[in-house]
Amino acid sequence: MPGRLCTTLLFLLITGLFFCSSLGYARLPDQKSLTIAIGLENYDFKPLFAQFTRKTGINVKVVEFENNSLKSELLLRASNNALPDGIIVPADYMGLTALDLSEVPDDWLSTHLIDQVRQNIKANGTTLGVPIVFGNHLMLYYNRALVSEPAHSWQQLRTQQQKLGVNISWNYYEMYWYRAFLGTFGTSLIIDGNANLDTPAMVNGLRWYKSLKDESWLDVECDYDCTVNQFLSGEVAYTINGSWMFQRFSEHFGDKLGVAQLPSLRGEPMRSYFSSHVMAFPDNALSGSKSAELRTLSEFLQSLPVQSNLWSSINALPVDKRALDMLKIQGIRQVEALISTLEYAQPMPNEAQMAFVWEAMLKGLTRHLAGVLDEHQAAHFMQHIVEKSISYEQEKKPGQ
């Protein structure tokens, strides 16, 4: 009896499993998923990822890093073979060769990309990212409660400071800001793949930048967070900051927020860099098992419905020309001003050498500001430092 009972129970168990299997319940298929790393303080893409999951069934796990540690975290993961499937980063990250980014096929890119954006998605001549939003340029923000008409030149700004007592702040020792001042004199930091720092333009830029500090009407020791807080509190009427701060400033000031071109110097415009945020694919991910899912996500983020809603959802400028044109005709004064500030902006180089360029510029500038080097010596010192750093990097053997 016990043996017959066991046989019967075993028969029922096998039958039940077969029955469930025939209905599709035996083993649920693995859900398709992607892991995407983003910067915490950059645009909030998580709502878009949630929409993508609802539409496609492909789950997106978001890994967030603080902006100032995003690059180092990605490089650390590269050394540990623990990179995500995709990353959404500023376009200059494409120059990080250690990430082993996949080349993006031309047919992955929208045919409606803005021309400026097409200039900003290559590194060393190769397309290594799918653009999603663009901007990241510097502009002049002003408090309309303190200034009714913004200064269009540094001469006007100085006059307002003397007559009205209004001040300006920016992240004085940050090279991204200094480059906008340097751009007034017309120079490219990289030409034909080579650093280009020891130039008359650099000499003129250093001389002017130091003169602003020597006039003692700037709090040059005020760092980035300090300058933001000064502007929010009304301590200064003007600040130079990026398009990424538009939403925060707009929420704080409402219609009292003003946006304008960076002040000109003797009729010459300042020229900030601009860049795109791109989705890139580390560890040669497009040759892996998730290439199809990554392409689906790329097409979704470039689609007209998504691009058309980027401004309303995350206050970002779309890379699709049709979407940007629709945004222009909405008649939102601040948005029109924000777009207009791109007129003189230039695409930031994405070459790997830029990391050494920024470092060399900072070393030369600080020595000049401290009075250790004059402007000619500082420009020459910058060139020496960048060439030495690049040469050392190229001579390093793998694994060192």
Side-chain angles (χ1 to χ4, degrees), residues 77-153:
R77 285 174 173 246
S79 65
N80 294 329
N81 296 316
L83 285 164
D85 302 310
I87 54 177
I88 294 183
V89 291
D92 62 294
Y93 277 53
M94 295 189 302
L96 300 174
T97 55
L99 298 182
D100 194 19
L101 299 177
S102 288
E103 181 175 355
V104 176
D106 289 342
D107 61 1
W108 280 42
L109 301 175
S110 168
T111 57
H112 300 282
L113 289 180
I114 297 166
D115 290 339
Q116 283 176 297
V117 173
R118 287 191 180 276
Q119 302 174 36
N120 193 233
I121 55 174
K122 293 181 182 289
N124 300 315
T126 302
T127 302
L128 296 175
V130 174
I132 304 170
V133 299
F134 87 117
N136 287 340
H137 57 297
L138 299 174
M139 63 196 75
L140 185 68
Y141 291 101
Y142 64 99
N143 185 339
R144 296 170 64 87
L146 302 176
V147 177
S148 58
E149 182 66 26
H152 300 294
S153 69

Side-chain angles (χ1 to χ4, degrees), residues 41-43 90 133-141 176-177 224 239-251 257-260 262 272-277 310-311 314-318 334-335 337-342 345:
E41 291 96 354
N42 287 329
Y43 307 104
V133 299
F134 87 117
N136 287 340
H137 57 297
L138 299 174
M139 63 196 75
L140 185 68
Y141 291 101
Y176 193 73
W177 274 250
Y224 181 82
T239 193
I240 297 175
N241 212 313
S243 59
W244 58 86
M245 286 300 297
F246 181 90
Q247 182 174 9
R248 182 176 177 187
F249 287 160
S250 183
E251 290 173 351
L257 177 67
V259 178
L262 296 172
S272 168
Y273 274 149
F274 77 87
S275 69
S276 307
H277 265 70
L310 283 174
W311 180 258
I314 59 175
N315 280 130
L317 295 179
Q334 292 171 329
V335 175
L338 178 66
I339 296 173
S340 72
T341 57
L342 282 161

Side-chain angles (χ1 to χ4, degrees), residues 166-200:
V166 296
N167 290 315
I168 185 173
S169 66
W170 70 89
N171 199 8
Y172 186 82
Y173 285 99
E174 173 55 52
M175 292 301 94
Y176 193 73
W177 274 250
Y178 170 65
R179 169 53 185 72
F181 288 81
L182 177 62
T184 305
F185 301 96
T187 186
S188 178
L189 296 180
I190 293 182
I191 295 180
D192 296 329
N194 298 310
N196 181 48
L197 305 184
D198 192 2
T199 63

